[in-house]
Amino acid sequence: MRIAVLGTGMVGKHLAAAFARRDHEVRIGTRDPEETMARGGHGPEDPPFAAWAAEHPEVGLEPFARAAAFGEVVVNATSGSVSLDVLRLAGDDNLAGKVLVDVSNALDFSQGFPPTMFVKDTDSLGEQIQRAHPRARVVKTLNTLTAHLMVNPQVLGEESTVFMSGDDAAAKATVRGLLEDFGHTDVIDLGDISTARGAEMMMPVWLRLMQALGTSSFNFKIVR
């Protein structure tokens, strides 16, 4: 399958590498490939993109629109604050009819940490993306997990529950297959795209757990 991952941060790199390991054709989308290749990293878990790219030569780097045109499935792995702008640059025609996997969160860091949410309760970022691109088939998922748990859900010794929201049943079936290929066995379909509100509003709890526990290495597990 041809998969475009929009976003070159830690989440985008983890997802792109994981898809490539499973023999998908993968392109990463960015605003400016030259600038991205020159950019520094943010620590051992988020190395400079050039260093990461040297280790993953099978993953191409292209502007957002070219990457989106390439992908049969497009993954929005950008920061929620820029997601709508990035998807506009990707091009509505390049997203039309495609599964658009949204893993972003509506977090506002302008006042420091912990961030607030710039959309909540009566709307969600997933819904905003679907409204902005009505011909795309948006599926919200993975936003409640850190990057390494997204692609290795049992790394802590116990599986993670992952949620999924979207209006298109066939799109959700495609996404479920990709999640299961990563090793996710506990995938809960919450319902239509409006249910993304619930998954997105888990983030304030998640962030405060991170502060209380002093680590981001934990998961949500629904026992039922």
Side-chain angles (χ1 to χ4, degrees):
M1 184 181 295
R2 298 191 309 276
I3 299 178
V5 178
L6 307 183
T8 57
M10 186 162 60
V11 171
K13 287 183 287 202
H14 269 74
L15 288 171
F19 285 130
R21 285 195 299 271
R22 288 158 178 80
D23 296 324
H24 296 290
E25 296 180 69
V26 184
R27 299 289 183 274
I28 288 189
T30 187
R31 290 178 188 269
D32 183 339
E34 187 173 323
E35 188 276 334
T36 296
M37 291 297 286
R39 186 187 308 151
H42 297 91
E45 293 190 9
D46 188 19
F49 190 87
W52 180 89
E55 296 179 356
H56 300 86
E58 72 281 10
V59 178
L61 178 67
E62 297 180 339
F64 289 128
R66 287 183 60 184
F70 164 85
E72 298 170 273
V73 170
V74 179
V75 180
N76 173 39
T78 64
S79 173
S81 60
V82 299
S83 289
L84 289 169
D85 182 46
V86 165
L87 291 168
R88 178 184 60 78
L89 293 174
D92 191 57
D93 287 343
N94 292 328
L95 301 173
K98 297 180 179 180
V99 177
L100 175 54
V101 184
D102 175 36
V103 306
S104 65
N105 278 299
L107 300 178
D108 178 0
F109 288 90
S110 64
Q111 301 302 312
F113 194 93
T116 57
M117 299 188 68
F118 61 80
V119 58
K120 59 185 177 181
D121 303 327
T122 58
D123 200 2
S124 66
L125 186 53
E127 290 171 88
Q128 290 185 354
I129 290 171
Q130 183 65 87
R131 289 196 300 270
H133 302 280
R135 294 183 293 164
R137 300 184 290 157
V138 178
V139 179
K140 186 84 182 192
T141 192
L142 291 176
N143 67 297
T144 57
L145 300 176
T146 56
H148 64 289
L149 282 171
M150 289 180 183
V151 302
N152 189 2
Q154 298 185 6
V155 71
L156 299 180
E158 186 174 347
E159 67 180 350
S160 303
T161 298
V162 64
F163 308 103
M164 186 169 58
S165 301
D167 294 336
D168 188 289
K172 287 194 284 189
T174 295
V175 173
R176 181 182 290 274
L178 293 171
L179 294 173
E180 291 175 348
D181 204 25
F182 282 162
H184 290 281
T185 60
D186 188 23
V187 181
I188 299 179
D189 184 349
L190 297 176
D192 66 29
I193 193 61
S194 70
T195 64
R197 300 173 192 179
E200 291 183 15
M201 285 191 291
M202 292 181 73
M203 289 310 297
V205 175
W206 191 99
L207 289 162
R208 281 152 182 82
L209 279 170
M210 184 179 74
Q211 287 182 300
L213 299 175
T215 179
S216 61
S217 295
F218 60 87
N219 59 7
F220 289 111
K221 174 63 179 172
I222 305 299
V223 179
R224 60 194 188 279

